[in-house]
Amino acid sequence: MSVAAEVFAREGTGATLKTVAAEAGVGIGTLYRHFPTRESLVDAVYRVETQRLCDAAPHLLEQMPPVEALREWCLRFLDYMATKHGMADVLHTVLNTNEGLRLDTRVRLYRALRLLLAAGQSDGRLRPDLDPADVSLALGGLALILDGREDAREAGSRLFALLLQGLAHP
């Protein structure tokens, strides 16, 4: 899955299943046996990447202070959005045919973000009135601005630093 996610993020909608198979070190037939359609591969990648991002929140909090964990998670969120963009056309179809998946993803992302924000609020470094939905919208806006930029990770880090100033407790 991680190879497919990298290919989708790097090549966007032009990514071919042949490229995914080659970079994963498997034949195209093997890929098609596991994922008979592009939609099934995109669905699987989307689910795995969402789970990976959501699972990262508590692990980051174990490894670093809350604001640094939030920063790292948000940079990973921007990477996640880049992967989603690379699958955009097919993912749109997948999510439109599975409203439950779309809603479940939103709930899980908000839960992870809420955990990170609450930790930062508990240690007094983040404002007490933060809403995960608002922060999520801001991150989504950053992802749109950074879409397709070669320096997206670096620019995302700088832009998130500006956003973090607004999230910080005065």
Side-chain angles (χ1 to χ4, degrees):
M1 288 306 136
S2 61
V3 170
E6 290 171 18
V7 171
F8 287 130
R10 183 183 68 237
E11 297 187 16
T13 56
T16 66
L17 296 185
K18 186 175 182 179
T19 301
V20 171
E23 290 193 24
V26 300
I28 192 71
T30 301
L31 183 70
Y32 276 114
R33 272 192 295 285
H34 293 282
F35 306 101
T37 65
R38 185 176 184 86
E39 289 80 10
S40 63
L41 177 60
V42 166
D43 183 292
V45 168
Y46 178 72
R47 289 173 189 267
V48 167
E49 292 301 304
T50 300
Q51 187 65 45
R52 182 175 292 140
L53 179 61
C54 292
D55 288 349
H59 295 296
L60 290 170
L61 286 170
E62 291 172 0
Q63 299 168 3
M64 55 189 72
V67 171
E68 285 72 22
L70 174 64
R71 180 188 329 273
E72 177 60 29
W73 189 88
C74 288
L75 291 175
R76 291 181 186 194
F77 176 85
L78 294 175
D79 291 341
Y80 165 82
M81 292 298 287
T83 300
K84 276 179 59 177
H85 179 75
M87 307 182 298
D89 294 339
V90 176
L91 185 57
H92 181 72
T93 301
V94 168
L95 292 174
N96 280 340
T97 59
N98 189 343
E99 183 66 21
L101 177 59
R102 178 194 308 262
L103 295 174
D104 178 64
T105 298
R106 185 176 301 133
V107 167
R108 290 170 53 217
L109 289 171
Y110 285 178
R111 189 178 302 136
L113 190 52
R114 187 177 298 116
L115 176 69
L116 292 158
L117 294 175
Q121 290 166 326
S122 291
D123 80 355
R125 293 195 52 204
L126 295 180
R127 296 167 43 156
D129 62 341
L130 295 176
D131 181 347
D134 293 341
V135 177
S136 180
L137 283 173
L139 289 172
L142 288 179
L144 287 174
I145 291 167
L146 297 169
D147 182 39
R149 287 182 56 156
E150 288 184 27
D151 68 338
R153 189 98 156 103
E154 296 79 24
S157 182
R158 290 190 311 272
L159 290 171
F160 183 73
L162 292 172
L163 176 61
L164 192 55
Q165 289 178 359
L167 301 176
H169 194 280

